[in-house]
Amino acid sequence: MPSACDSLIDDIEDMVSSSDPTPHERQSARKSIIPRSRRKKEVNNEELHADSLIPGTQKIWMKTWGCSHNNSDGEYMAGQLAASGYKMTDDPTEADVWLLNSCTVKNPAEDHFRNSIKKATEQQKKVVVAGCVPQAQPRMEYLKGLSIIGVQQIDRVVEVVDEAVKGHSVRLLGQKKDGGRRLGGARLDLPKIRKNPLIEIISINTGCLNACTYCKTKHARGDLASYPIEELVERARQSFQEGVCEIWLTSEDTGAYGRDIGTDLPTLLWRLVEQIPEGAMLRLGMTNPPYILEHLEEMAKILNHPRVYAFLHVPVQSASDSVLMDMKREYCIDDFKRVVDFLKERVPGVTIATDIICGFPGETDEDFQETVDLVKRYRFPSLFINQFYPRPGTPAAKMEQVAAHVKKQRTKELSQLFHSYNPYDHEVGERQHVLVTEESFDGQYYVAHNKFYEQVLVPQRVEFKGKMIEVDIYEAGKHFLKGKPVEDSKPFTPSIAAPLQKGEVSGLTQGHLANGIQGSSFLIGSSSVDREALKKLGIGLALAAIILAFIVEKLY
């Protein structure tokens, strides 16, 4: 749309006509001018109180439930809000806005989400909701009147929060497409605030190819949509330049990566490995058995790479083919065993983590016993045991349910079996290299991981954080090892770049600022500039206004 000034000014040079005095003539004329003294304006020391409804001046508390994919989305939303001027806070009581990023996998997670909304309302906080719950069921009664950010719309979080601050309700739930093809979601180069400045979580795709009868996430994330390899490689490269020493790849099913864009997971992983500096590590996310079977040879080679954790999360859910069929898991138990046996043979010491659902509809005592036997056979060091919860709107919710006390008993029995063995005892006395990335929950140790992504607790020494160190393992627990630093062994720094400070925004480089007229907002120095306003004003007209103001000031 043409500007209102287009008829008067076609170019910046049209502001000065040929009949105007030249700069030299102006300078000469100034010599005969006697400046008039002016009274100084009285300084008003009264503090400026900005209208509390001006978007961008508020404090925001964000809570995220669920998987690492959800956590990655939360980091991106926090980064954009901080870049636009909002202040992120860890204290919900001092926040003006609560941004609640939900998970729909289990009933308890949604219950916590719903209770948080109620609590925010009681405290008269503005509420914005995001994540899989509102995406899958935006018409739920307790979401009525709330602003919603869809899982593929996180790049517009600033717009939604701006409107929520003004008291408006906005719902952005659309799918991103390019030429009819569904995209993975928001751009990967958006600003973000990493929860841990040393760890970058990269979503390689969203959605999946399965149709599991118990899963509500599919309702929210939809079908498979993968990010191009070049974008993922660039995100990894940028992360290492910002001092990250560990990358997690995440999605609803990493094994299915690339099937929608003509590539595959091993191809991506080999490209990413090229970017990993010495001493830094890559961790693969969850992959379902059907999509890893055809890549076992390549996956074994990748997991043996010194800069890739020998760790893979492969959910089995049940060891009964009958139950797997009712779940529509698209594999049989022999497929799962083939994956585990192959990787254990080709990747010595590999950690296989898995998930099990107890009490799925129709599960008999015999079905459950097959699952118990599977755990006894493999003694999984990392086992996520879940009691079945029927999620509204899923086929499994309409099936004949197993009695509640039976589900509870099976969950208890499997948990007791899991806690009956210690998977790490054989490592006591070993010398290992571990990467230190975080602090333990009790605050007494730093947490590191060895090649097999096993948790190793080490002394809290500032020089260890973000470094690869050598330790002697002297104790083993159910979920951890303890390591004593080897004397005369110096910590190795994986990256020459210093990591960002906690809460610092990633991605706000000069390159982003120069190229960034197409987002919500960005920072120049300490000022927040609204890109949409700049677009409406027009860069040329804005420049003209600045120069005109300068000329007027010089003349008068």
Side-chain angles (χ1 to χ4, degrees):
M1 182 175 178
S3 166
C5 296
D6 282 352
S7 60
L8 300 177
I9 301 176
D10 290 328
D11 199 347
I12 189 67
E13 284 142 12
D14 292 334
M15 292 176 60
V16 182
S17 71
S18 58
S19 61
D20 288 338
T22 64
H24 177 73
E25 290 171 336
R26 281 198 196 93
Q27 191 60 35
S28 299
R30 283 189 174 199
K31 295 177 181 178
S32 60
I33 295 175
I34 300 174
R36 183 175 61 188
S37 63
R38 299 180 182 180
R39 290 180 61 190
K40 291 185 179 180
K41 293 182 180 180
E42 293 183 7
V43 178
N44 187 349
N45 293 320
E46 184 177 323
E47 184 180 350
L48 175 64
H49 294 282
D51 186 343
S52 62
L53 293 181
I54 297 175
T57 63
Q58 290 76 23
K59 293 181 179 179
I60 298 178
W61 176 69
M62 184 170 68
K63 172 70 175 177
T64 294
W65 291 268
C67 64
S68 53
H69 193 166
N70 233 30
N71 277 277
S72 176
D73 286 352
E75 291 181 347
Y76 275 121
M77 288 191 284
Q80 292 170 87
L81 289 166
S84 70
Y86 287 101
K87 181 179 179 182
M88 305 304 296
T89 177
D90 293 327
D91 185 354
T93 61
E94 73 170 16
D96 304 292
V97 181
W98 284 17
L99 174 53
L100 305 175
N101 189 18
S102 63
C103 172
T104 192
V105 171
K106 301 178 186 177
N107 286 9
E110 184 171 348
D111 291 341
H112 287 307
F113 171 63
R114 182 168 49 243
N115 292 336
S116 294
I117 292 174
K118 182 180 178 182
K119 191 173 182 180
T121 304
E122 292 172 348
Q123 297 183 25
Q124 297 183 323
K125 306 290 187 182
K126 302 285 187 182
V127 182
V128 176
V129 295
C132 292
V133 172
Q135 180 74 52
Q137 291 181 290
R139 293 183 178 84
M140 292 289 286
E141 182 62 28
Y142 69 88
L143 298 176
K144 190 174 181 180
L146 299 181
S147 290
I148 296 176
I149 303 163
V151 294
Q152 284 205 310
Q153 300 291 334
I154 61 171
D155 54 339
R156 300 181 68 183
V157 62
V158 175
E159 298 172 56
V160 177
V161 171
D162 283 352
E163 293 304 315
V165 166
K166 298 173 189 175
H168 303 153
S169 177
V170 180
R171 297 189 166 202
L172 298 180
L173 295 164
Q175 302 291 331
K176 292 189 180 295
K177 295 183 179 180
D178 181 17
R181 183 180 68 84
R182 186 168 178 269
L183 299 177
R187 299 195 329 266
L188 294 174
D189 61 350
L190 294 170
K192 75 186 308 188
I193 295 177
R194 298 185 183 96
K195 189 175 180 180
N196 183 337
L198 297 173
I199 298 175
E200 167 71 3
I201 306 172
I202 303 179
S203 303
I204 63 174
N205 56 265
T206 188
C208 68
L209 294 172
N210 298 330
C212 301
T213 55
Y214 57 83
C215 183
K216 195 66 181 283
T217 306
K218 178 72 177 231
H219 295 195
R221 297 283 183 178
D223 292 326
L224 179 70
S226 305
Y227 285 98
I229 287 179
E230 292 303 328
E231 292 181 20
L232 295 165
V233 170
E234 181 55 35
R235 183 69 208 182
R237 185 183 298 119
Q238 178 194 324
S239 301
F240 290 125
Q241 290 172 351
E242 293 177 337
V244 162
C245 62
E246 187 170 289
I247 283 184
W248 297 357
L249 300 186
T250 183
S251 76
E252 282 65 60
D253 187 349
T254 57
Y257 171 79
R259 285 175 172 253
D260 57 321
I261 58 174
T263 185
D264 55 40
L265 181 62
T267 302
L268 168 65
L269 294 176
W270 285 125
R271 288 289 306 279
L272 287 173
V273 162
E274 296 172 0
Q275 303 299 323
I276 305 174
E278 186 179 354
M281 297 295 289
L282 174 70
R283 192 195 81 173
L284 275 65
M286 186 274 286
T287 176
N288 283 311
Y291 308 113
I292 205 69
L293 278 167
E294 63 190 78
H295 301 308
L296 285 177
E297 288 279 358
E298 284 300 295
M299 290 304 299
K301 294 176 185 176
I302 290 165
L303 293 174
N304 275 312
H305 194 284
R307 294 193 282 277
V308 178
Y309 286 118
F311 168 90
L312 200 60
H313 180 192
V314 189
V316 64
Q317 305 302 6
S318 173
S320 163
D321 284 339
S322 175
V323 174
L324 291 175
M325 185 176 297
D326 288 341
M327 291 178 172
K328 286 195 175 179
R329 289 291 286 169
E330 300 184 6
Y331 59 88
C332 63
I333 193 59
D334 284 343
D335 292 333
F336 175 82
K337 291 176 179 177
R338 181 183 165 205
V339 170
V340 177
D341 292 341
F342 185 94
L343 292 178
K344 279 183 168 292
E345 179 185 347
R346 300 295 184 90
V347 188
V350 65
T351 296
I352 301 293
T354 196
D355 300 359
I356 288 173
I357 296 174
C358 293
F360 187 81
E363 182 185 64
T364 65
D365 289 339
E366 292 75 18
D367 294 328
F368 177 67
Q369 187 58 47
E370 290 184 73
T371 299
V372 170
D373 292 342
L374 183 80
V375 175
K376 287 180 178 178
R377 171 177 174 175
Y378 289 109
R379 298 167 67 89
F380 301 102
S382 183
L383 179 61
F384 304 96
I385 302 168
N386 304 291
Q387 183 176 314
F388 175 75
Y389 290 98
R391 301 297 290 129
T394 62
K398 301 174 184 177
M399 298 177 182
E400 186 176 350
Q401 304 296 306
V402 172
H405 73 278
V406 175
K407 289 192 291 185
K408 182 179 286 189
Q409 177 57 36
R410 289 175 183 171
T411 303
K412 181 180 178 181
E413 182 180 338
L414 200 60
S415 296
Q416 288 174 338
L417 171 59
F418 173 61
H419 285 94
S420 69
Y421 58 85
N422 294 314
Y424 306 132
D425 285 353
H426 66 282
E427 295 182 55
V428 174
E430 291 184 0
R431 180 164 291 187
Q432 300 179 350
H433 285 91
V434 298
L435 180 60
V436 184
T437 55
E438 52 197 311
E439 189 176 297
S440 63
F441 286 119
D442 60 12
Q444 297 184 23
Y445 298 92
Y446 275 159
V447 177
H449 290 92
N450 59 18
K451 163 68 176 171
F452 311 107
Y453 202 69
E454 295 161 344
Q455 185 172 262
V456 182
L457 303 180
V458 299
Q460 277 196 356
R461 296 183 192 170
V462 177
E463 67 270 23
F464 289 169
K465 198 72 175 287
K467 308 292 198 303
M468 184 77 74
I469 65 172
E470 194 173 20
V471 298
D472 288 324
I473 303 300
Y474 66 90
E475 184 180 330
K478 175 62 182 175
H479 302 286
F480 65 88
L481 297 160
K482 285 185 180 179
K484 179 182 178 182
V486 175
E487 291 185 18
D488 302 326
S489 177
K490 294 182 179 180
F492 181 81
T493 305
S495 174
I496 59 172
L500 302 179
Q501 296 298 309
K502 189 172 179 62
E504 190 174 351
V505 181
S506 158
L508 292 184
T509 62
Q510 291 301 316
H512 281 80
L513 297 182
N515 299 325
I517 294 293
Q518 296 179 0
S520 297
S521 56
F522 58 101
L523 292 181
I524 298 180
S526 60
S527 301
S528 179
V529 180
D530 190 332
R531 290 177 179 158
E532 294 299 325
L534 277 178
K535 287 198 290 182
K536 292 175 183 176
L537 181 61
I539 299 300
L541 187 56
L543 182 59
I546 293 170
I547 295 177
L548 181 60
F550 176 80
I551 292 173
V552 170
E553 181 184 356
K554 292 298 182 183
L555 286 175
Y556 298 100

